[in-house]
Amino acid sequence: MSTTLYGIKNCDTVRAARRWLEQHNIDFAFQDVRDTPLNAEQLTNWLDQLGLDAVVNKRSTTWKQLPAEQRDSLNPSSAVPLLLEHPTLMKRPLLDTGSTLHLGFKAADYQALFAQHTL
């Protein structure tokens, strides 16, 4: 199983998720989406699996700074180039276990998720 955590390194929630994974000896790779940009195929896959409202963080500062036309006309096809241009628009962290995508971090959720994978 190949597990990857996507986010930005200075995000407190991402730091908490990384710390939890390390403390529980979960082998994972971390990808800072600012340093190593995502690709359109990844984003399309995430939007297909999780949905637009789950992937795009409409409470972020970046979202609030976008022109109203861009915010109002957001759809799955327009979201991909927007997320490529502004990676901080994605909700984070996004954990990809290779078989499951999980957004956000709560220790209990991670515990349940990894308990399933070890059975």
Side-chain angles (χ1 to χ4, degrees):
M1 174 171 66
S2 174
T3 300
T4 305
L5 186 71
Y6 297 90
I8 56 175
K9 60 184 158 233
N10 64 339
C11 172
D12 290 338
T13 308
V14 171
R15 276 190 248 163
R18 290 176 73 180
R19 191 170 31 258
W20 189 95
L21 292 166
E22 290 164 357
Q23 289 172 346
H24 290 82
N25 297 315
I26 306 292
D27 187 28
F28 73 100
F30 173 66
Q31 181 174 329
D32 186 313
V33 297
R34 283 183 177 159
D35 296 339
T36 306
L38 300 167
N39 62 56
E41 184 179 341
Q42 273 178 309
L43 289 169
T44 300
N45 182 39
W46 294 351
L47 290 165
D48 289 346
Q49 288 187 52
L50 299 169
L52 181 66
D53 290 332
V55 175
V56 176
N57 184 359
K58 293 183 178 176
R59 295 185 333 177
S60 73
T61 303
T62 306
W63 173 260
K64 294 172 185 171
Q65 293 173 346
L66 291 174
E69 316 79 65
Q70 274 187 309
R71 292 190 312 255
D72 295 343
S73 65
L74 187 70
N75 61 55
S77 61
S78 68
V80 171
L82 196 58
L83 286 161
L84 289 171
E85 183 179 350
H86 304 283
T88 57
L89 276 175
M90 72 174 265
K91 287 185 184 171
R92 52 194 181 268
L94 187 140
L95 181 73
D96 183 349
T97 66
S99 61
T100 304
L101 295 176
H102 181 82
L103 273 168
F105 171 71
K106 289 186 180 161
D109 293 345
Y110 273 36
Q111 186 68 43
L113 180 66
F114 285 99
Q116 292 173 354
H117 286 283
T118 58
L119 296 177

